[in-house]
Structures are given as structure tokens and as C-alpha cells.
Amino acid sequence: MANMSMTKLPMPEQDPDVRNHNFQEVALGYTPEMAVEEAGRCLQCKKPLCVSGCPVNVHIPEFIAKVAEGDFKAAYEIIYQTNGLPAVSGRVCPQESQCESLCVRGKKGEPVAIGRLERFVADWYRENVTEKAEKPASNGIKVAVVGSGPAGLTCASDLGKLGYEVTIFEAFHTPGGVLVYGIPQFRLPKEIVRHEVEGILDLGVELSLDTVVGKTITIDELFEMGFQAVFVGSGAGLPMFMGIPGETLNGVYSANEFLTRVNLMKAYLEEYDTPIKHSRAVAVVGGGNVAMDAARCAKRLGAEHVYVVYRRSEAEMPARAEEIHHAKEEGIEFHLLNNPTQILSDGKGSVAGMECIRMELGEPDESGRRRPVEVPGSEFVLEVDTVIMSLGTTPNPLIRSTTPGLETNRKGCLIVQEDTMETTRKGVYAGGDAVTGAATVILAMGAGKKAAAAIHAALQAQ
Amino acid sequence: MAKIITKRRLNPTVTLMEVSAPLIAKKALPGQFIILRVDEKGERIPLTIADYDREKGTITIIFQKVGLTTELLDTLEEGDDILDFVGPLGRPTELEGVKKVAVIGGGVGCAIAYPQAKYLHEHGVAVDVIAGFRSKDIVILEEEFQAACDHLYLTTDDGSYGERGLVTDKLKALIEAGNQYDVVIAIGPIIMMKFVCKTTEPYGIKTLVSLNPIMIDGTGMCGGCRVSVGGQMKFACVDGPDFDGHQVDFDELMARNAAYKEREAQVRRDHACRLLNQEVQ
């Protein structure tokens, strides 16, 4: 008999006033008993809508049935068939707009906590199963993957399982892309990312770190080296600034720089050498998940006041409701319907404050969101010593500028065939933020998966 | 990882290392740089490519001990590996069509001026080098420069070697004496580059400077290295590091480079133990 509770079983979390002083994971995960109980809420639909809401099509009812039986190992194996990074996606996917949004239980009450269950299964497996996946027999065909973020890792994982000799080329000294430099430790522990990457390397996938494709090596050279296909998953890492006065003052960061220092270089740990400014009051400009991450990191680094400055209202914020909720619990202060006009100097090259202007919402614009309009004469100064610009990112031009025949749209995103993910250059495929501009981890994973299937089909047809 | 092939001290605080990095050596051009990290807890720092040997597959770096990371790097010996070594980054210097140039190096900046002079000299350009140092004991690369230019003018602030005076005095004298330079390339302390630009401006001589802002990734993804050039924001790691010196806001660059001064001093003190460990190994 199914568990007919209308609500999801809550997941234990660190207390807000404790966690805003540390970088340990906020959500603590289900216990085995909790997982079995929540799994009982799944109705095992014959035609499960949840699966169609998942960009990598995890066989959701099947794995949940195994969780309900207490066979967590079998549950993991079902998930892993289609998802190479379950501990990651279980943590950072916006399930409310994907799998869980289509769950029948969500029509009356809350949907089944699919994300929490996926996370539980992946964590249980990591902690309890030490045997390594068997390395598939090589088919002798070399494929190159550019970038080791979620798109590249998923593509490499799928091709590795099929026996391809895959090499991932990564510009940084650590694999994971946004999973290591962007998403903070308290949302996604880096040990987990490392473990997931190692699982992919166990398939025989090679990893070439410190290799900047477009600089150290070009895509043409990869083909000369015998790679039969190339997947470009280089992301959208180029930060945008506002173009207002004062943006080159000390104490103004792009969210990318701030988060890279904190997460990748571990500037929050004393024993690491990379410095970070320890601020008294911080303004984070923007309303996306990255803005929430930056604000919550700033709080943990000891800032007394952390403000999120966003030009529209909370309803238009692109960040997940859960992240906004977590940020508020941790004492982040929201200045909504405000826009910066200039950053003020202390006369010695550092930030002394930020002048903002109040906004009101006008008619909807082409994105469907109501356009913010300045309220004349409403300028005021926010007293901050640090400003973090979190306005979004665009794809880095490094690869497209060094690869003849690779076409992009006016935003610099690579143009691909929707069904195959092949770019305008034969044999070169692309996916993730390099194609869509800044989007989500799971969409990048879905794109990597689709490209892997297309690469497999194309190479088998040859 | 990149193995150190040769290590040579050029003066008490400046060290040269030839490092095995075949992929980088294959592509490197004057004006480009690498990013390195010494150990797991280390930071990423940029260093200009001072030389390259495509046959041997090596890259030469020259660095001055100015803080923890360069001190740590200096504890490595021949045969040791540098944990991370990435490049070649940045744009090569654009010098098409020039016939006569003055290359000006200040202090350890001479290490970066040297490959420029050498490259131009090898490509048939008339090269005058002005190499400036505080005093005789820190003079570096004198022989190398002699072989890489038509005229070498060596200056010291205190007159203990070469001509007494500043590089800008020498440059002005050369221009006044009728030398017609198509381009002046200035590499050294920010204040020196600023004054070289002030010197050439009245003569309308194009002046390239190699900027050295704080960097992290070096691939354009963070903007930590942003500089104002002609009133526009540029990322030195991808748009530079060479820029038209007459357009650069040097005062802003100086302020930005001082952003972590206190923290750098503290890290250097606190991590004395790590330096010691490295030396003991």
C-alpha cells in the first residue's frame, strides 16, 4: 500500500545560524529509513510523466521501486544506466520545473521527492560500494571532449560505456567545470564531484588537465592526432559587467572571479594561498542562482551585511525558490526593484559604496517579464565595501576564434543541428552552455547525452 | 606537470628556469604567457614566456622572488615538476611591418623584453635595447641582449654600471639624436611603462606595453585582470597582455595590483613553514 502522505518527507538541514558560518553541506540527505518511506509515495505509474521531464530520462519509477524494497544497489544501477552524475544532479537540478513538476502526486499535494531519492541512492552507493565498474572493451575509436563540465563529463561517460577511447581536455587544473569553480561546497561538496569524475575515468576515459583548447591545442590538431569526432562542452564562462562608473575599483568582482577564488582555489581555507577580500558589507548585483551562491559565500566569509540587489521583483527572479529561501534563512538581505547606477570610490581605488536607483515594473518585454523602469530622483547610496556582479555569462570566444568553419549566433553561442548537436563543422559536436548560453547543469548533461548518441550513430555508420 | 630541465640564478632574487612543455613550446610566440601552480594548496600566477625552443620542447620562465609563490617556485630544483603549467596564453605581440624598434626593459621586466628583442632581431628588424636596472648587482641577461639587438644601452639608477640615469632619459636622447622608431616596446614596473609612454607621446611614436595585472584563470572567464584601455574595459589575459600604452590607465592598474597587499604579506609570514618543508625535501 502506497504512502499517501500529501507532503514530501522533509530532508534534514543544518540550522541556518550555524551553516552561515561554515562551508559544509546545508542539506544533510535522507537516512535509509526516510528514503524507503518517501519511495513509498511513488504510485509506479504505467506511463510515468516524470521520466519525460528528466533531460537525461532516468528510469524514475523503476529506481524508486528498488529504493522502496531497500535494494539501494539495484536502484543505483538503474539510475547510472542513463545518468553518469547522479550525486550531482540529485543535488543541483531544479526538480520543481523538471521531473517533479510532472509527478501525478503533485496534482494534489507535493510531488514525490525524486531529487532527494536520487541523491540518497548515489550517496549510499558511494559510501557502501567500493567495487569499480568494469572497463568496457575498447572499440579503438578516439573521440575528444573539450571541457570537463557536466556536458563533457556526461558525453565522455556515455561514449566510454560504449567502448570509445575518450580523452577529455580541460583548461583548469581540476575537472568539473562549474561543478568545481561555480557551485559552492555547501551545495555540492567537491569530494563528491571528484568521486563522480573518477567513476567516469574508471571507464577508461583519459583526462588531460591544464590544456586550453584554442591555445595549447586546436580542434584541427585534435583531428590530426586521430580523433574521429570532437565534442565541445566549453560552457559559457565569459562574465558580463554593467558598464557603469567604478567597475574597475578594488572590491568589485565578477561572480565568476569571486566564486573561482572561493570554490576552486579554496580561498575560504586559511592554508590555501589564493587571497579573497574579507568584506564588511557586500552587494551582489543580480537575481540568478549564481547571485545566491555568491551572496551565501560572502556571508560565510564573515560579511555582516550581504545585500542582493535586483532590478525586478522577487517574482521575476531567475534563481530557484529553494535557493532564495535558503539565502533568506541565512540572513541575506534583498534590495528588490533596485538597480546600480555607479560604484563609489574611497579615493584610494577601493569601493566606498554603491549608488542605486529605485525601479518600478512597466509593460512586459520580449522575455515576457515586466520591464523595470527607473523612478526619477530616487537615487540612494548603499554602504558596501564589496560589489559582486552576477549579471550572467556568455560563451568564451577562444574556441570559435581558432576553429575555421565553426559558426555562432550573434550572442556567440555555437550553432548546432537540434537533432544531432553537430556544429557547422563536420565531426564537431557541441552542447551545454556553449550552445545555449548560461543554463542549467542538467540541460548540459542532457545535451552531452544527446551528442554522445549522435556521435555513436555517425561513427558506426562510417 | 612540467619538469624543470635547467635552473639558473641570474641575480640574488631572479631565477631562470627552462621547463619541459612541448605543446606550449610548439605554439609560443613573443608576448604570450603561462599560468603555473606550484603545489596543491598553491595559487595560480602568470609568468611571461621568456624564451622557447620548439625542437627541445622547452619554455623558459624568469621570475623574481617577490612573495610566497615565487619563493616556493624557487625552492624547486632541476628534475622537479611544476604541478600545473598552462599556456601559451594571451595574444602574441603584433609587430607586422615595423622596421626599427626600441625595446625597453626595466629590472626583471628585461626577462620579458628579451624575447621581443630576439624575435624582432631574428626577423630582420633593427632593434635598439635600453635595459635599465637599479644597480650593477641586479643586472640580468646582458650577454643575451647583446646577441639579440643592434645596440644595447644599459643604464643603472646609481651609475654603478653602464650609463647613469633612467631608461626614459636614454630613450629621449636616442629620439632626439634622430633615431626614427616605428614602435617602442616597454616592459617593466608600471611606473616605468607609464613614463616611457609620457616620453614617446609628444613624438607620436606608437608605444606597446605588456601589462601585468592580477590574474587567476588566464583564459577570460573571471575578469580579475580587467584594465581600462582607451576608456574601455579589457581583459588583459585574452585581449592583451600587450596594449597601446598611450591608451592605458596606469594609475588604475597600480591601484588594482595593490588589492591584496596585506593578505600577501600575511600569507608569506604564515606559510614560512611550507617554504621550510619544501626546502627540506
Side-chain angles (χ1 to χ4, degrees):
Chain A
M1 179 60 204
N3 168 359
M4 292 313 290
S5 166
M6 300 293 275
T7 54
K8 290 178 183 179
L9 192 66
M11 180 162 53
E13 287 178 350
Q14 273 197 77
D15 184 78
D17 281 332
V18 174
R19 72 184 193 232
N20 62 10
H21 297 290
N22 69 52
F23 275 81
Q24 285 149 28
E25 199 171 11
V26 168
L28 302 171
Y30 280 159
T31 62
E33 295 73 29
M34 291 170 162
V36 171
E37 188 185 336
E38 178 65 22
R41 293 185 63 228
C42 174
L43 299 178
Q44 295 292 317
C45 303
K46 289 247 156 40
K47 288 181 183 163
L49 291 172
C50 53
V51 177
S52 58
C54 171
V56 297
N57 303 125
V58 168
H59 303 311
I60 294 166
E62 287 92 326
F63 101 74
I64 292 182
K66 292 295 174 191
V67 176
E69 287 170 25
D71 189 350
F72 307 136
K73 186 164 182 282
Y76 180 84
E77 281 153 5
I78 293 165
I79 298 172
Y80 197 70
Q81 283 170 21
T82 60
N83 182 351
L85 305 165
V88 172
S89 54
R91 282 175 167 77
V92 305
C93 270
Q95 289 101 4
E96 68 276 10
S97 58
Q98 296 178 330
C99 56
E100 293 181 16
S101 74
L102 299 173
C103 173
V104 229
R105 294 296 305 266
K107 286 183 182 160
K108 284 184 187 166
E110 289 183 345
V112 175
I114 302 166
R116 293 175 187 175
L117 290 172
E118 182 182 51
R119 169 193 162 132
F120 165 78
V121 169
D123 288 353
W124 181 91
Y125 191 88
R126 185 177 67 253
E127 285 154 15
N128 292 281
V129 180
T130 49
E131 69 195 62
K132 289 185 174 180
E134 208 172 303
K135 196 169 149 179
S138 166
N139 66 10
I141 303 171
K142 287 167 71 178
V143 177
V145 170
V146 181
S148 66
L153 289 176
T154 304
C155 185
S157 170
D158 278 18
L159 289 170
K161 284 176 194 165
L162 292 166
Y164 287 89
E165 290 186 11
V166 181
T167 304
I168 304 176
F169 296 91
E170 166 58 45
F172 264 136
H173 57 262
T174 308
V178 75
L179 307 177
V180 294
Y181 78 73
I183 302 175
Q185 180 78 5
F186 56 82
R187 282 216 293 138
L188 179 62
K190 302 310 145 208
E191 308 79 82
I192 291 174
V193 180
R194 186 70 217 174
H195 184 271
E196 303 274 68
V197 171
E198 268 158 21
I200 292 169
L201 300 185
D202 288 340
L203 298 167
V205 171
E206 300 280 330
L207 179 60
S208 176
L209 296 172
D210 294 331
T211 312
V212 187
V213 172
K215 285 286 179 188
T216 313
I217 197 162
T218 63
I219 285 182
D220 288 306
E221 286 169 320
L222 291 175
F223 282 110
E224 285 164 26
M225 287 163 70
F227 288 98
Q228 304 273 307
V230 177
F231 173 74
V232 179
S234 50
L238 199 71
M240 294 195 270
F241 286 89
M242 292 188 77
I244 57 173
E247 278 184 305
T248 49
L249 289 168
N250 283 338
V252 182
Y253 290 101
S254 72
N256 262 14
E257 177 183 357
F258 186 76
L259 291 171
T260 299
R261 284 179 181 271
V262 173
N263 301 322
L264 179 75
M265 305 312 294
K266 302 207 183 324
Y268 67 93
L269 296 173
E270 272 297 308
E271 65 267 32
Y272 282 76
D273 298 340
T274 301
I276 186 98
K277 182 167 180 181
H278 288 265
S279 318
R280 193 183 50 75
V282 180
V284 179
V285 182
N289 288 316
V290 176
M292 298 305 120
D293 285 345
R296 296 171 71 194
C297 282
K299 189 80 187 176
R300 282 161 172 76
L301 286 166
E304 288 164 39
H305 293 283
V306 179
Y307 308 106
V308 167
V309 178
Y310 181 56
R311 62 197 181 117
R312 303 185 205 238
S313 73
E314 184 165 336
E316 290 84 23
M317 281 179 87
R320 290 179 70 188
E322 187 186 332
E323 301 306 328
I324 297 170
H325 172 71
H326 275 147
K328 283 183 178 168
E329 279 187 337
E330 290 167 13
I332 309 296
E333 299 155 65
F334 285 71
H335 279 286
L336 302 171
L337 286 165
N338 280 303
N339 208 27
T341 46
Q342 60 171 319
I343 301 164
L344 309 171
S345 169
D346 66 351
K348 288 176 267 178
S350 294
V351 174
M354 184 169 83
E355 187 190 270
C356 301
I357 188 162
R358 295 190 204 289
M359 312 291 279
E360 55 191 16
L361 292 179
E363 294 300 304
D365 61 16
E366 61 275 20
S367 76
R369 293 183 299 180
R370 291 176 65 193
R371 187 194 300 272
V373 186
E374 290 184 357
V375 179
S378 66
E379 290 89 348
F380 68 101
V381 172
L382 201 57
E383 298 217 356
V384 292
D385 56 7
T386 303
V387 176
I388 301 170
M389 290 293 178
S390 180
L391 310 163
T393 52
T394 58
N396 193 308
L398 220 51
I399 289 175
R400 66 174 191 257
S401 64
T402 55
T403 310
L406 212 53
E407 283 172 33
T408 57
N409 66 16
R410 64 185 171 84
K411 288 180 176 167
C413 301
L414 293 170
I415 294 168
V416 297
Q417 302 266 355
E418 252 181 53
D419 47 339
T420 64
M421 309 306 281
E422 193 169 17
T423 63
T424 49
R425 176 82 188 267
K426 192 171 158 32
V428 179
Y429 299 74
D433 289 1
V435 169
T436 56
T440 63
V441 168
I442 192 70
L443 285 174
M445 289 172 63
K449 197 162 193 64
K450 202 163 151 189
I455 290 170
H456 179 53
L459 293 178
Q460 291 309 307
Q462 272 180 13
Chain B
M1 290 219 275
K3 194 172 288 302
I4 299 165
I5 308 298
T6 52
K7 176 182 175 183
R8 186 152 61 93
R9 274 195 217 283
L10 301 183
N11 74 29
T13 64
V14 177
T15 303
L16 174 152
M17 281 179 181
E18 197 186 0
V19 174
S20 174
L23 286 177
I24 306 175
K26 204 174 146 190
K27 292 247 168 57
L29 285 168
Q32 292 189 296
F33 65 96
I34 57 96
I35 292 251
L36 64 77
R37 197 170 65 125
V38 178
D39 61 22
E40 271 304 323
K41 292 185 175 160
E43 59 182 341
R44 296 165 66 95
I45 61 158
L47 287 174
T48 303
I49 295 170
D51 209 347
Y52 50 84
D53 187 325
R54 302 210 200 282
E55 304 271 298
K56 278 163 70 185
T58 57
I59 290 289
T60 300
I61 50 171
I62 296 175
F63 58 94
Q64 185 169 24
K65 288 191 279 177
V66 290
L68 177 77
T69 300
T70 41
E71 299 259 15
L72 274 172
L73 182 59
D74 198 49
T75 63
L76 299 184
E77 299 298 336
E78 291 177 3
D80 289 345
D81 287 313
I82 297 173
L83 181 61
D84 296 291
F85 201 80
V86 193
L89 301 170
R91 288 172 193 257
T93 308
E94 283 175 30
L95 293 164
E96 262 180 50
V98 296
K99 294 193 177 59
K100 181 165 175 146
V101 303
V103 176
I104 304 175
V108 76
C110 287
I112 311 165
Y114 165 65
Q116 303 278 10
K118 183 182 164 198
Y119 183 87
L120 289 164
H121 189 64
E122 281 170 358
H123 285 76
V125 177
V127 180
D128 285 354
V129 171
I130 308 171
F133 301 92
R134 252 193 344 267
S135 59
K136 184 182 179 180
D137 53 319
I138 59 163
V139 170
I140 57 170
L141 300 172
E142 188 180 354
E143 280 174 37
E144 284 86 348
F145 270 125
Q146 284 290 6
C149 67
D150 299 295
H151 301 98
L152 172 64
Y153 304 97
L154 213 147
T155 67
T156 49
D157 297 0
D158 62 2
S160 55
Y161 195 62
E163 289 179 50
R164 183 192 187 104
L166 301 173
V167 291
T168 42
D169 300 334
K170 189 71 213 172
L171 175 64
K172 193 165 171 29
L174 288 170
I175 297 170
E176 292 291 330
N179 285 286
Q180 301 219 331
Y181 298 116
D182 301 318
V183 176
V184 169
I185 300 171
I187 304 161
I190 299 169
I191 193 82
M192 183 212 91
M193 294 193 283
K194 177 179 167 175
F195 282 101
V196 167
C197 292
K198 280 204 189 302
T199 306
T200 56
E201 206 161 18
Y203 301 99
I205 304 171
K206 184 178 174 187
T207 304
L208 292 178
V209 292
S210 177
L211 301 187
N212 55 346
I214 294 173
M215 288 189 188
I216 303 158
D217 61 292
T219 61
M221 62 84 75
C222 86
C225 65
R226 58 196 189 277
V227 290
S228 297
V229 181
Q232 287 202 317
M233 186 192 290
K234 299 279 181 190
F235 291 1
C237 71
V238 288
D239 299 318
D242 287 354
F243 290 101
D244 176 350
H246 296 142
Q247 304 285 322
V248 170
D249 186 336
F250 288 104
D251 295 339
E252 177 190 282
L253 175 61
M254 251 181 281
R256 282 187 67 77
N257 274 9
Y260 297 103
K261 234 177 181 169
E262 283 167 33
R263 170 71 182 160
E264 281 162 6
Q266 185 209 332
V267 163
R268 201 176 180 185
R269 280 195 307 274
D270 295 354
H271 287 10
C273 50
R274 247 177 84 206
L275 272 171
L276 207 63
N277 285 341
Q278 213 85 15
E279 272 161 1
V280 168
Q281 273 166 13

